[in-house]
Amino acid sequence: MIRRLLLALRIAPTRYHRLLTIVQLGAAVCAALLGIGLSSRRAFSLPLYARQTGQPCATCHTAIWELTPFGRRFKLGGYTLGGGDWSGPPFAVTLQPSYTHTQVGQPGGAAPHFGANNNIDVQAVSLFTGGRITDNLGAFVQGTFDSVTRRFGWDQTDIRYADKVNVDGHNLLWGVTLNNNPTVQDVWNTLPAWRFPYIFSELMPRPAATPFINGVYAQNTVGFGAYSLLDDLLYLELSGYRPLSTNTQLALGVDTTGFNPINGIAPYWRVAVEPNFGDHSWEVGTFGLASKVFPMGMSGAGTDSFTDIGIDTQYQYLGDPHTVTARLAWIHENHNTSASQTLGLADNSNNQLRSLNASISYIYDKTWSLTAGRFSVGGTADAALYGTFTGSPNSAGWITEIAYLPFMRGGPSFWPWLNARIGLQYTLFNKFDGATTNFNGAGRNAHNNNTIFAYVWIPHYRLRPTAASESLLFADAE
């Protein structure tokens, strides 16, 4: 495990303390609405949005959980779109039964309480709430029980206020977002919170190195920001993130032993352009996150600094019965580790990481989904920082998946509110933690970590849909 992740959060007093208190209170209220939650996991879509909008799945999704242009506007609009015959409590539940097989079993077990191989598990049970609160205020709030870590805690949360105005003949959609994970507020399927694979095994081996923007701050920070969409084309966002206090994290069910304490505010930015023409849409953008952290929570040597800068693009063709989506994101991280070097936690005073994630999906008749993806991470060798046998952070591989979506147009007559994604996924590692062979010094090769992952994702809304919402809507993608 990367040593830089083994940090405990704390808050450094600054002039922004009052703002932090407000957003922490908002986060605590979200958790109180849920009653249950998660360690770190990606968010999923809400079946309850179907009752609110009266729209079928395909209006907002090419497949669960990939958003269409309409779905992206629904999210940017604050989850407030109406049109359905909403009634009843706004809650939904999902289950994720799964099976994980690695090419060679993992010595000591895939995780505590699990065997070395061929593990069957319901790896997550989630409760969702959200949707329209007022005409301009809405939310996506998730809590999860993670059976691997055996923890309850809050999961992905995004609360928005949004409105539309006319500025000198131009249409401007603007809003503010309160959320708990950089990139969870994004509406394209290229950034870390929402990219393919949408479901992955928590029991498969994972490389040691990852850029900080790839979920390192998920659920242990709170962010507040403003965004705008001009003429349905140009998207701009600026947000800032602060760590939650240890007591707040514990109250929300977060493990406080594995993260870096941010010093001050970590700014996050996003710029994207998405023209839509007929059945086609094409997004090109950039994003980034900058943060200063105390290594291992120790302030005596000063701070390390991380700057993640990325570029991304996504193309969609929304035909009938054929749909195609191609996605690509590249991230460069510059990591000033002078404080870690002083403390003996890094060999170098500066390190760099580069990551690439690309995938393409073909969906036939809104029922069958085929996806292939490439992933890689590489950078400066630093044995003390990454804790790998080789000292290198380099890993790479491929992911392929076939998924069956039997109820995108509505569930069976005996259970019309049912929906599901049934998938079979294969991950092949070309390189793992710096080597193709003997990457851990004990004879384990990269291909030994190749993984077959079978899953069923089952969302359930407890009230029977009416004629206005016979299909379930999953309007907040992953």
Side-chain angles (χ1 to χ4, degrees):
M1 182 61 64
I2 308 172
R3 292 193 183 186
R4 70 184 188 188
L5 297 182
L6 303 178
L7 306 170
L9 282 166
R10 70 182 182 187
I11 295 177
T14 73
R15 67 179 184 276
Y16 300 102
H17 180 72
R18 180 173 298 177
L19 173 62
L20 176 60
T21 301
I22 293 172
V23 294
Q24 282 182 318
L25 177 60
V29 169
C30 293
L33 289 173
L34 286 174
I36 67 170
L38 164 80
S39 57
S40 175
R41 176 187 303 278
R42 297 179 181 180
F44 302 120
S45 314
L46 291 185
L48 59 90
Y49 289 152
R51 296 298 298 270
Q52 177 180 310
T53 65
Q55 295 292 323
C57 284
T59 301
C60 286
H61 288 264
T62 61
I64 310 170
W65 302 271
E66 186 176 275
L67 284 176
T68 65
F70 185 92
R72 291 191 277 277
R73 274 58 180 177
F74 174 83
K75 184 174 178 178
L76 291 175
Y79 313 101
T80 60
L81 179 69
D85 63 341
W86 176 258
S87 63
F91 292 102
V93 177
T94 68
L95 305 174
Q96 285 184 35
S98 66
Y99 166 80
T100 301
H101 168 81
T102 52
Q103 185 167 308
V104 176
Q106 302 175 68
H113 316 292
F114 288 91
N117 212 342
N118 300 320
N119 288 291
I120 298 174
D121 180 37
V122 180
Q123 69 175 23
V125 179
S126 294
L127 173 66
F128 301 86
T129 188
R132 176 193 288 182
I133 300 172
T134 70
D135 287 345
N136 299 100
L137 181 66
F140 174 93
V141 184
Q142 176 188 4
T144 303
F145 173 73
D146 187 326
S147 66
V148 175
T149 61
R150 299 191 175 186
R151 294 181 63 91
F152 288 95
W154 76 333
D155 204 329
Q156 311 281 40
T157 295
D158 180 25
I159 304 171
R160 295 174 181 257
Y161 180 92
D163 202 357
K164 295 180 179 179
V165 296
N166 187 285
V167 180
D168 195 25
H170 296 276
N171 296 317
L172 179 68
L173 186 158
W174 68 273
V176 294
T177 171
L178 177 68
N179 61 78
N180 68 347
N181 179 13
T183 75
V184 75
Q185 71 272 39
D186 203 65
V187 295
W188 290 278
N189 291 100
T190 53
L191 271 59
W194 300 116
R195 71 189 180 202
F196 175 80
Y198 308 124
I199 290 179
F200 53 84
S201 172
E202 292 196 351
L203 298 174
M204 69 179 291
R206 295 211 161 265
T210 184
F212 259 49
I213 200 171
N214 285 11
V216 172
Y217 294 140
Q219 285 81 58
N220 59 75
T221 60
V222 63
F224 183 78
Y227 64 90
S228 65
L229 180 66
L230 180 64
D231 288 337
D232 204 35
L233 177 67
L234 174 63
Y235 178 80
L236 302 172
E237 180 192 343
L238 180 63
S239 297
Y241 288 83
R242 290 291 308 273
L244 295 168
S245 69
T246 299
N247 288 339
T248 302
Q249 291 183 68
L250 292 174
L252 296 174
V254 178
D255 184 354
T256 63
T257 61
F259 304 96
N260 283 284
I262 300 172
N263 179 30
I265 289 181
Y268 167 84
W269 63 91
R270 178 71 156 125
V271 179
V273 176
E274 184 189 52
N276 293 277
F277 37 98
D279 294 333
H280 307 267
S281 68
W282 180 33
E283 175 267 342
V284 178
T286 183
F287 57 96
L289 176 72
S291 56
K292 293 183 177 181
V293 300
F294 293 110
M296 298 296 290
M298 296 180 285
S299 60
T303 61
D304 288 344
S305 64
F306 297 83
T307 302
D308 291 9
I309 298 176
I311 56 175
D312 73 300
T313 186
Q314 175 176 289
Y315 165 78
Q316 277 187 333
Y317 168 71
L318 304 177
D320 188 9
H322 309 289
T323 299
V324 176
T325 303
R327 302 158 292 259
L328 183 145
W330 178 86
I331 300 170
H332 179 273
E333 178 177 273
N334 186 66
H335 181 185
N336 184 316
T337 50
S338 56
S340 290
Q341 186 184 45
T342 300
L343 295 169
L345 304 175
D347 296 329
N348 307 322
S349 61
N350 193 85
N351 288 285
Q352 294 184 347
L353 276 180
R354 297 169 299 277
S355 74
L356 174 70
N357 285 270
S359 61
I360 184 168
S361 298
Y362 167 71
I363 300 166
Y364 176 73
D365 198 28
K366 303 176 178 63
T367 304
W368 290 96
S369 173
L370 301 173
T371 305
R374 172 70 174 174
F375 64 90
S376 66
V377 61
T380 312
D382 193 319
L385 181 67
Y386 298 116
T388 61
F389 174 73
T390 65
S392 170
N394 297 355
S395 297
W398 298 86
I399 303 177
T400 58
E401 180 181 289
I402 181 171
Y404 177 51
L405 306 130
F407 308 124
M408 289 289 285
R409 295 181 176 87
S413 59
F414 64 89
W415 195 357
W417 52 89
L418 176 67
N419 209 323
R421 181 182 176 114
I422 304 167
L424 182 63
Q425 186 180 112
Y426 180 68
T427 302
L428 182 148
F429 288 99
N430 302 126
K431 182 175 289 187
F432 197 94
D433 287 350
T436 57
T437 59
N438 193 29
F439 68 83
N440 65 348
R444 192 171 181 88
N445 301 326
H447 284 336
N448 295 157
N449 290 340
N450 294 350
T451 300
I452 295 173
F453 176 57
Y455 67 84
V456 180
W457 187 84
I458 306 171
H460 171 54
Y461 181 60
R462 75 179 185 88
L463 297 179
R464 182 185 181 91
T466 63
S469 57
E470 292 179 353
S471 295
L472 296 178
L473 172 67
F474 297 85
D476 182 70
E478 184 169 334

